[in-house]
Amino acid sequence: MTTLLWLACALPAIGADQPVGITAELPYLEVKHEGRVIRVERNPDNLNMIDPDLALTSRACPPFCIQPVVIAPGVETLGELEVLDYIQRFSTGDKSVLLIDSREPEWLQRFGMIPGSISLSWTHLHPQHTSVEKIAETVEDLFGAYRVGPLWNFADARTLVLYCNGAWCGQSPTSIRQLLGMGYPAHKIKWYRSGIQGWKLLGLTTVQPRSP
């Protein structure tokens, strides 16, 4: 009985209209996504719940196995506030950073994208799915690295923040391992392990991808 009374006092009344900020000092964040301004905020409905498809706890493993907290030595694992900081940097003109959605297109249609991110499926960085020449073009044109003969120079390469569906998703980890295998500096790769599942679990804004 004591426990029930404590819970009744600690939890807000069902249906209560309590403010839902990102932090106590940050109610929302306005960022640019594909040329338009998007307000990133948490869903203001105190009774909002995550999409049922993202509430599944027991996807088959393999392939949907739990990923480690540290995906590779030197690659920093980020939380939501750190991701928001990178989004804001890019949105205000910092071209040294890039937020990458590593999922295949059908996942983007189902669950949406994090505002400020670009779609670059893991298949575009994997030699079994994309030619080595196309991968090199992506690394040069999009990430800002360049080749000197057979070697890569990553001195001016962008810092990449990659994500996919969540802690059970292997799409962004695959991209990260491919980049590391090319010699991309680990300190210039960041990983949002919680992915779209963690983002939506906190009620944060998503956007739908452009129609093909």
Side-chain angles (χ1 to χ4, degrees):
M1 181 64 71
T2 302
T3 301
L4 292 175
L5 288 173
W6 181 86
L7 286 171
C9 295
L11 296 174
I14 296 297
D17 187 18
Q18 302 292 325
V20 185
I22 294 174
T23 69
E25 295 77 28
L26 182 67
Y28 61 86
L29 188 67
E30 290 188 339
V31 303
K32 290 182 180 178
H33 181 84
E34 296 181 345
R36 57 196 175 105
V37 176
I38 300 292
R39 176 174 287 193
V40 179
E41 58 188 345
R42 294 175 68 193
N43 191 306
D45 182 358
N46 294 154
L47 301 181
N48 181 60
M49 300 182 73
I50 195 167
D51 294 352
D53 283 348
L54 287 173
L56 293 172
T57 64
S58 303
R59 289 177 170 86
C61 167
F64 302 112
C65 300
I66 297 174
Q67 300 293 328
V69 172
V70 178
I71 198 65
V75 175
E76 183 182 7
T77 302
L78 305 180
E80 289 74 23
L81 296 182
E82 291 80 18
V83 173
L84 284 166
D85 180 63
Y86 277 107
I87 295 172
Q88 186 173 36
R89 284 174 55 183
F90 178 73
S91 184
T92 54
D94 185 348
K95 301 303 183 184
S96 70
V97 298
L98 188 66
L99 179 63
I100 297 173
D101 190 320
S102 298
R103 297 173 297 161
E104 295 178 21
E106 58 265 31
W107 290 104
L108 278 62
Q109 296 291 339
R110 286 175 65 183
F111 299 138
M113 304 171 63
I114 295 175
S117 63
I118 66 161
S119 172
L120 185 70
S121 169
W122 68 275
T123 58
H124 292 294
L125 294 174
H126 200 290
Q128 290 184 2
H129 299 271
T130 302
S131 71
V132 173
E133 291 77 16
K134 286 287 186 183
I135 295 172
E137 286 178 14
T138 297
V139 174
E140 287 183 304
D141 299 342
L142 193 57
F143 300 165
Y146 65 92
R147 283 180 287 188
V148 182
L151 303 177
W152 283 97
N153 187 311
F154 296 100
D156 297 321
R158 303 168 96 171
T159 294
L160 310 178
V161 181
L162 296 94
Y163 73 92
C164 51
N165 277 321
W168 45 270
C169 180
Q171 295 173 93
S172 57
T174 298
S175 288
I176 289 170
R177 293 185 183 106
Q178 291 297 321
L179 289 167
L180 292 171
M182 293 182 64
Y184 213 98
H187 72 275
K188 290 192 173 189
I189 301 175
K190 314 294 179 182
W191 183 41
Y192 176 38
R193 178 178 183 266
S194 297
I196 206 72
Q197 184 178 45
W199 192 260
K200 298 194 83 164
L201 183 64
L202 293 174
L204 286 161
T205 303
T206 57
V207 291
Q208 286 300 117
R210 283 183 176 176
S211 300

